[in-house]
Amino acid sequence: MKFITYVFACFFGAGFLHARQTPPDDMVKVEGGVYIPFYNSGTEEAEAQVETFYIDKYHVTNQDFLDFVTENPEWRKSMVKPIFADEGYLKHWEGDLNLGPDTGEIRNSPVTNISWFAARAYAKWKNKRLPTLDEWEFAASASEYEPVASRDSSFVRKVLTLYGQPQPEKLPPVGSGQPNYHGIYNLHGQVWEWVENFNTVFITGESRDGGGTNRQFYCAAGAAASPDTENYAAFIRFALRGSLEAHYTTKNLGFRLAQDVNNEIQ
């Protein structure tokens, strides 16, 4: 009897541990590592350590967000408080629960016109979170074949080309194109993405007249503090983040979610 109990525990226990190592639905596991951030104050380490984490394969879609506002009416476009979203919030939707006449076309496209507050509320509803800036940049530094390709000039040129293309009137569905090394789709070229600490690299608007060490980033000399001055694509991303406030919404800014990896056997 003891032997049977032992076999039962080992067999099913091993299965449980294996299940814990399986990424949640529509997420991938990004193994931790180091990358060189585009910008630091000069007092920070040149390399940033990123712990292993999960991240969505795809952007959050209009349908995903419609499900959220259906259950959380305080986040509907006619009911959201101005402090949490500006007047452009969900302006491409026809109504609170109506995606419009092209519902079928935009249902699986990335949701945009979303504020940081709204993205965080959605993440909390899903028991997840927004990726940190370091997590997003680390994941986005991967090409199709290499986990870190930010020093690959061909990859950087490809990203810049994507950034230079005009946004189509109707965004393609999520999952279009090829995934990167980690299995993540459309980190570049479809929409910009909110991150949890999007404004931590920068000084606040109230202190921009001060003499802080990050002041130079707001003028033409900003790239001088970068250890990777040729990564213009990263400069564009950081400049965009520096222009944002948490209640802002734009037609080319969406998000995806992340999740911690807890209590796993590596």
Side-chain angles (χ1 to χ4, degrees):
M1 185 65 181
K2 290 183 178 179
F3 175 76
I4 294 175
T5 302
Y6 174 78
V7 171
F8 179 90
C10 289
F11 179 80
F12 286 95
F16 175 75
L17 289 174
H18 177 74
R20 291 293 297 275
Q21 293 179 338
T22 302
D25 289 346
D26 290 334
M27 301 190 89
V28 296
K29 185 178 180 180
V30 178
E31 297 292 341
V34 296
Y35 85 105
I36 300 176
F38 172 75
Y39 182 83
N40 61 50
S41 66
T43 61
E44 303 166 2
E45 295 293 333
E47 293 183 338
Q49 177 70 42
V50 178
E51 301 299 326
T52 301
F53 64 100
Y54 293 130
I55 191 168
D56 284 350
K57 295 179 184 178
Y58 315 111
H59 296 115
V60 174
T61 67
N62 285 287
Q63 181 61 56
D64 294 332
F65 206 77
L66 178 61
D67 294 340
F68 166 66
V69 298
T70 299
E71 292 192 19
N72 300 272
E74 68 274 21
W75 288 102
R76 295 175 188 176
K77 61 185 296 185
S78 68
M79 302 179 68
V80 68
K81 295 180 179 179
I83 193 174
F84 295 135
D86 64 22
E87 63 278 2
Y89 179 68
L90 294 175
K91 69 177 182 180
H92 63 297
W93 288 16
E94 191 166 282
D96 281 350
L97 302 176
N98 184 359
L99 300 182
D102 298 325
T103 296
E105 295 184 40
I106 74 169
R107 187 183 302 277
N108 294 316
S109 296
V111 66
T112 58
N113 295 309
I114 293 294
S115 69
W116 178 80
F117 289 117
R120 291 186 87 231
Y122 176 90
K124 183 176 180 180
W125 180 65
K126 297 291 287 187
N127 294 315
K128 298 181 183 180
R129 59 176 173 80
L130 293 177
T132 67
L133 187 152
D134 281 342
E135 287 172 341
W136 194 96
E137 288 289 333
F138 181 69
S141 71
S143 65
E144 292 180 24
Y145 309 106
E146 297 292 335
V148 179
S150 56
R151 294 297 181 91
D152 181 340
S153 59
S154 62
F155 173 68
V156 173
R157 285 196 301 271
K158 179 180 178 180
V159 173
L160 280 171
T161 299
L162 289 171
Y163 288 175
Q165 294 175 350
Q167 183 178 358
E169 187 67 26
K170 296 177 181 177
L171 291 171
V174 299
S176 302
Q178 295 296 315
N180 73 1
Y181 176 88
H182 303 294
I184 310 168
Y185 288 81
N186 306 124
L187 281 166
H188 304 288
Q190 194 169 43
V191 297
W192 301 105
E193 301 183 27
W194 284 111
V195 294
E196 175 64 27
N197 52 336
F198 71 95
N199 58 355
T200 54
V201 171
F202 307 96
I203 56 176
T204 64
E206 290 73 25
S207 62
R208 288 182 190 179
D209 292 332
T213 57
N214 291 340
R215 186 178 179 216
Q216 61 180 330
F217 196 82
Y218 284 93
C219 55
S226 171
D228 190 5
T229 56
E230 294 184 2
N231 194 347
Y232 300 113
F235 179 85
I236 293 170
R237 292 194 296 273
F238 275 72
L240 171 72
R241 292 177 185 127
S243 70
L244 295 173
E245 293 186 16
H247 70 290
Y248 282 7
T249 66
T250 74
K251 67 177 182 179
N252 58 355
L253 180 58
F255 68 104
R256 73 180 75 220
L257 302 182
Q259 191 170 341
D260 293 334
V261 175
N262 295 320
N263 302 320
E264 287 197 349
I265 296 178
Q266 302 296 327

